Amino acid sequence: MKRKNKIFRKVIIVLAVLALLTGCAGQEPEAEDTRTPTDDNLIVVGVSQEGSESVWRTANTRSVKETLTKENGYFLIFKNARQKQENQIKAIRSFIQQDVDYIVLAPVTETGWDTVLKEAKDADIPVIIVDRMIDVSDDSLYTAWVGSNFKMEGQKACEWLNAYAEAKGMKEVNIAHIQGTIGASAQIGRTEGLEEAAKEYGWNIVAQQTGEFTQAKGQEVMESMLKQHDNINVVYCENDNEAFGAIDAIEAAGKTVGPDGDILVMSFDTTNAGLTDTLSGKIICDTECNPLHGPRVEEIIKKLEDGKDVDKKAYVEEEMFAYDDTVKSVKVDDKDYDVTKITQEILDKRAY
Ligand code: GYE
């Protein structure tokens, strides 16, 4: 694809300088202002990241920033939307105005993208969606998506719980369900997985509320759930940060977590911090969600640059980790998935 090296490059510099002058209080550094004439060969990529709410998200941002570097041939314009769709829409519009070569969108929720993506399409800018999915009436509004199978993650986690509960002879499974950001694919899929399993296995979901994928909200929600229900013996958190908050709330309420404790805490993401808690049993089972999308995005861009076809949708392979080996594998849709007992050695080698 031919580089678009016209007036907009000056616009980028002006915007970057303006951003610096206005301070951007508390924000991550965005576009750099150090372009030189040799930069004209760089591929300009506008990335709209939905937020910075979790350890997973930080790893995801790092992966994108470490991949789309000048050394690798990219000029990255990175915008953090602080979990607000309106900020993402603004960012996309500014990318269109700057006539970037590619737009990468990590969307906060699935719906609400039709209008702005139509604008990108009309401007002939390919849009690559990462992580969460979008729900648009016309699939040609994006070029490719890469991310996780969130429903499958939920199903794997629930199959683990079912096998574990049976092995331990748990008479009742009373679940506090702390959901992710409502309307995000990661929430929708993980929630569906749990709700279907609860029906099938006769579990009680005693409380269900969003923790917005953050530690603070996870803690707050868990505190109130503990006040209202004294029979909770499982907490299904839709990410590691919520699990950290839930664990704090449980311990502050004088209860214990872990294999021999009052409550089993389940989680998703398998960040280093999450797996550290899995090693101690505070998180009993952590289902992987891989955030390292930078190289995946680059592969898509390279193919497009070479005029090659790209997969419309690509799912990432993911693992599962548990405190012990009570459950060695789980089956979903007739396929077996290994459950790995976490060790310090595994933890030391983790990239995120
Ligand atoms: O699980 C959570 C993050 O969309 C998969 O978003 C992502 C989720 C991830 O905030 O930690």
Side-chain angles (χ1 to χ4, degrees):
M1 189 179 284
K2 214 171 146 277
R3 297 279 64 76
K4 298 164 181 170
N5 55 359
K6 300 149 269 171
I7 319 153
F8 83 93
R9 300 211 177 267
K10 288 190 188 131
V11 176
I12 290 173
I13 298 168
V14 172
L15 285 176
V17 171
L18 274 177
L20 285 175
L21 289 177
T22 50
C24 290
Q27 301 209 355
E28 289 166 37
E30 298 201 339
E32 297 161 40
D33 64 335
T34 52
R35 296 170 64 78
T36 66
T38 55
D39 289 340
D40 281 346
N41 287 325
L42 296 178
I43 299 172
V44 182
V45 186
V47 174
S48 170
Q49 173 62 284
E50 63 88 32
S52 50
E53 71 286 354
S54 65
V55 181
W56 187 100
R57 190 63 55 192
T58 316
N60 178 245
T61 292
R62 197 181 322 118
S63 170
V64 170
K65 285 187 175 173
E66 282 175 4
T67 309
L68 302 181
T69 60
K70 280 194 177 172
E71 295 69 46
N72 289 346
Y74 301 94
F75 183 80
L76 170 65
I77 311 170
F78 183 92
K79 298 259 183 210
N80 177 346
R82 323 244 144 222
Q83 287 184 288
K84 287 208 171 69
Q85 185 174 48
E86 61 193 85
N87 291 342
Q88 294 207 277
I89 291 173
K90 262 190 224 152
I92 294 170
R93 293 209 164 114
S94 86
F95 298 154
I96 297 171
Q97 219 174 3
Q98 292 168 72
D99 200 16
V100 301
D101 296 309
Y102 295 92
I103 290 173
V104 174
L105 169 64
V108 61
T109 48
E110 291 193 347
T111 55
W113 302 105
D114 294 72
T115 308
V116 74
L117 293 191
K118 174 83 174 45
E119 292 167 27
K121 190 182 172 191
D122 290 345
D124 226 6
I125 301 172
V127 174
I128 300 165
I129 312 289
V130 286
D131 170 26
R132 303 173 186 172
M133 223 327 180
I134 56 167
D135 180 6
V136 278
S137 49
D138 170 6
D139 268 5
S140 75
L141 292 182
Y142 66 93
T143 304
W145 168 82
V146 61
S148 308
N149 187 335
F150 302 111
K151 170 122 188 233
M152 167 78 71
E153 290 173 355
Q155 288 173 311
K156 279 162 44 180
C158 290
E159 287 308 311
W160 180 91
L161 177 58
N162 183 48
Y164 188 86
E166 256 180 35
K168 298 287 175 189
M170 282 168 72
K171 287 193 189 66
E172 275 187 5
V173 177
N174 297 319
I175 304 174
H177 178 195
I178 307 185
Q179 297 172 287
T181 303
I182 301 299
S185 310
Q187 176 273 314
I188 295 170
R190 292 168 190 169
T191 293
E192 264 176 24
L194 175 64
E195 287 178 343
E196 287 177 13
K199 258 194 207 135
E200 189 178 341
Y201 299 125
W203 301 336
N204 309 313
I205 300 179
V206 297
Q208 185 174 60
Q209 204 181 320
T210 181
E212 283 159 19
F213 285 132
T214 69
Q215 178 162 350
K217 194 81 192 179
Q219 180 167 354
E220 189 186 310
V221 165
M222 189 73 237
E223 266 166 23
S224 85
M225 286 177 172
L226 285 167
K227 277 184 197 139
Q228 288 164 47
H229 308 275
D230 58 9
N231 62 347
I232 295 167
N233 58 0
V234 174
V235 185
Y236 181 94
C237 300
E238 290 186 358
N239 83 340
D240 280 347
N241 286 78
E242 291 178 345
F244 305 147
I247 292 166
D248 286 348
I250 294 166
E251 290 177 343
K255 294 202 169 190
T256 52
V257 294
D260 305 314
D262 305 312
I263 298 178
L264 298 172
V265 179
M266 298 179 67
S267 182
F268 295 87
D269 281 357
T270 65
T271 57
N272 246 287
L275 288 179
T276 302
D277 275 355
T278 311
L279 192 63
S280 72
K282 286 190 175 202
I283 291 176
I284 198 76
C285 172
D286 204 345
T287 303
E288 186 182 30
C289 182
N290 189 299
L292 306 180
H293 293 318
R296 298 180 184 120
V297 168
E298 186 182 28
E299 200 186 314
I300 294 171
I301 292 179
K302 279 192 169 153
K303 281 192 183 161
L304 294 172
E305 288 286 306
D306 293 343
K308 292 188 184 147
D309 286 343
V310 293
D311 290 335
K312 190 81 187 181
K313 285 185 186 174
Y315 289 107
V316 173
E317 293 275 320
E318 293 171 329
E319 301 180 71
M320 280 185 87
F321 296 90
Y323 163 73
D324 65 14
D325 60 1
T326 305
V327 181
K328 293 184 179 59
S329 72
V330 294
K331 196 186 264 250
V332 177
D333 295 337
D334 282 332
K335 213 181 146 198
D336 287 311
Y337 298 90
D338 287 342
V339 179
T340 306
K341 176 184 182 306
I342 189 70
T343 60
Q344 186 62 50
E345 212 186 334
I346 298 174
L347 203 47
D348 291 342
K349 288 193 204 128
R350 296 283 295 175
Y352 62 93

